[in-house]
Amino acid sequence: MTKHLLLCYRRTVHLNMKRKILCKFTILQKYFNSFWNQILACWIGKSINYRQLSHNQSFAAAAVAAAAARMPSPPGVAEMASEGGFSGNLASTCCCDHSKDSSENVVALKISLLGDNQIGKTSFLTKYVGKEKVDEGLSTKGLNQMDKTLCVRGTRISYSMWEVKGDVSGPTQIPMACTDSVAMFFMFDLTSRCTLSSVLSWHQQARQWNQTAIPVMIGTKFDDFVKLPLDLQWTIASQARAYAKALNAPLFFSSATYNINVNKIFKFITAKLFNLPWTLERNLTIGEPIIDF
């Protein structure tokens, strides 16, 4: 018995010594890495972390490759999927020096917005683009187009957003709006269940012209939706989640009036397209803006 206790004691002492040695080694390694990064920072004139994030040409090449991979194929081609989690502040309004010829660093991407009339698509775009830039957009019969340029890791990403109007002439513009799109937003009014039912029809028509774009389902007018009785909110949210699952699309509840989830949706698309690290938190709480994926 005494021998057994002594053996256990020795093993415990031995393990404790190993742990102490490993702890000291880990701390020493961190100091060494920090010291080495400082040496590199002095040598190249900027911090090592900044250097790792600012490969403009390689990022632009990756962006172009990602955009090309998202270009649509004729109907019948299997839909491409991309998984991943996302986090942080990825993009800001364009801050690049436009006086220089940096066209090689510009990635032009097209996004389509589809849904019934009077559901808030234009307000959604206006909130994202900015009121002062709305006049720059192109508005034609059944179609509305706006642009916004972001600066991501030194590379300019130019989003061209094509809104298909929900009036009688709108569906005839689906081929023009959806061809070459990298993402398609299927939108509905959270306070109007008939606009939610129409999402499936919009999706079916859009997929005839583009089978590779990332689908996103967006419920608008969340600020009005929260005024509804909780049991009705639960019913609509459950149906919306079921539709989103059928479309294999993430679901966002948004409000252009209060800028709820508007920017977050575009950050999601940017991260998804270029495989950037940005963590998206799921929220299924009734009475709060739903994010489901």
Side-chain angles (χ1 to χ4, degrees):
M1 186 68 177
T2 304
K3 285 184 177 181
H4 180 70
L5 290 174
L6 184 61
L7 183 60
C8 289
Y9 174 75
R10 286 178 178 175
R11 286 178 180 175
T12 304
V13 171
H14 185 65
L15 286 173
N16 287 337
M17 288 180 65
K18 274 190 174 181
R19 286 173 185 167
K20 288 180 180 179
I21 292 171
L22 285 174
C23 277
K24 289 181 179 180
F25 178 77
T26 302
I27 293 171
L28 184 63
Q29 188 177 34
K30 287 181 179 179
Y31 277 115
F32 175 78
N33 288 339
S34 176
F35 179 70
W36 179 246
N37 286 344
Q38 289 179 13
I39 293 175
L40 287 177
C42 293
W43 180 46
I44 64 178
K46 58 178 75 173
S47 73
I48 186 66
N49 292 329
Y50 178 85
R51 186 171 64 90
Q52 291 171 346
L53 292 174
S54 60
H55 295 295
N56 293 353
Q57 293 182 350
S58 60
F59 178 77
V64 172
R70 289 289 177 187
M71 290 299 104
S73 304
V77 179
E79 180 178 351
M80 297 174 65
S82 175
E83 300 294 336
F86 322 99
S87 97
N89 186 14
L90 320 164
S92 60
T93 52
C94 188
C95 57
C96 303
D97 185 0
H98 292 199
S99 61
K100 298 179 180 179
D101 182 14
S102 55
S103 58
E104 70 276 7
N105 282 341
V106 178
V107 182
L109 300 175
K110 182 179 178 183
I111 295 176
S112 308
L113 289 80
L114 306 102
D116 288 352
N117 201 23
Q118 301 297 322
I119 63 170
K121 298 191 299 293
T122 304
S123 298
F124 178 87
L125 273 185
T126 301
K127 176 60 68 174
Y128 182 64
V129 174
K131 291 183 180 179
E132 69 281 0
K133 299 182 181 180
V134 172
D135 294 337
E136 298 176 9
L138 172 65
S139 184
T140 60
K141 189 176 180 181
L143 202 60
N144 188 32
Q145 188 262 327
M146 299 184 194
D147 298 325
K148 181 165 182 175
T149 301
L150 308 177
C151 204
V152 181
R153 298 185 180 182
T155 297
R156 284 193 295 157
I157 298 177
S158 179
Y159 280 130
S160 178
M161 292 159 285
W162 295 63
E163 172 201 346
V164 177
K165 297 179 181 179
D167 54 21
V168 178
S169 59
T172 61
Q173 302 294 344
I174 288 178
M176 183 182 296
C178 294
T179 301
D180 297 336
S181 291
V182 295
M184 293 190 293
F185 295 170
F186 299 100
M187 305 177 71
F188 65 98
D189 183 346
L190 285 165
T191 63
S192 174
R193 295 176 70 178
C194 64
T195 64
L196 172 58
S197 301
S198 299
V199 164
L200 296 179
S201 175
W202 285 105
H203 180 267
Q204 184 179 15
Q205 294 179 72
R207 283 306 192 196
Q208 293 178 18
W209 302 97
N210 189 325
Q211 295 194 358
T212 61
I214 299 172
V216 180
M217 192 165 157
I218 303 171
T220 62
K221 304 183 183 179
F222 175 76
D223 50 307
D224 292 330
F225 175 73
V226 291
K227 299 174 184 176
L228 299 176
L230 281 176
D231 58 340
L232 185 55
Q233 289 186 45
W234 185 88
T235 302
I236 295 173
S238 298
Q239 187 177 358
R241 290 182 61 200
Y243 277 37
K245 187 175 181 181
L247 269 57
N248 193 25
L251 172 66
F252 292 85
F253 284 8
S254 69
S255 169
T257 304
Y258 295 95
N259 199 17
I260 297 173
N261 282 342
V262 175
N263 293 324
K264 186 173 289 187
I265 291 168
F266 286 93
K267 286 183 179 180
F268 168 82
I269 286 299
T270 304
K272 195 80 168 172
L273 285 170
F274 303 117
N275 196 27
L276 297 174
W278 184 61
T279 301
L280 182 64
E281 295 183 1
R282 199 176 184 215
N283 185 7
L284 302 179
T285 305
I286 301 299
E288 297 181 9
I290 297 291
I291 298 177
D292 191 18
F293 53 93

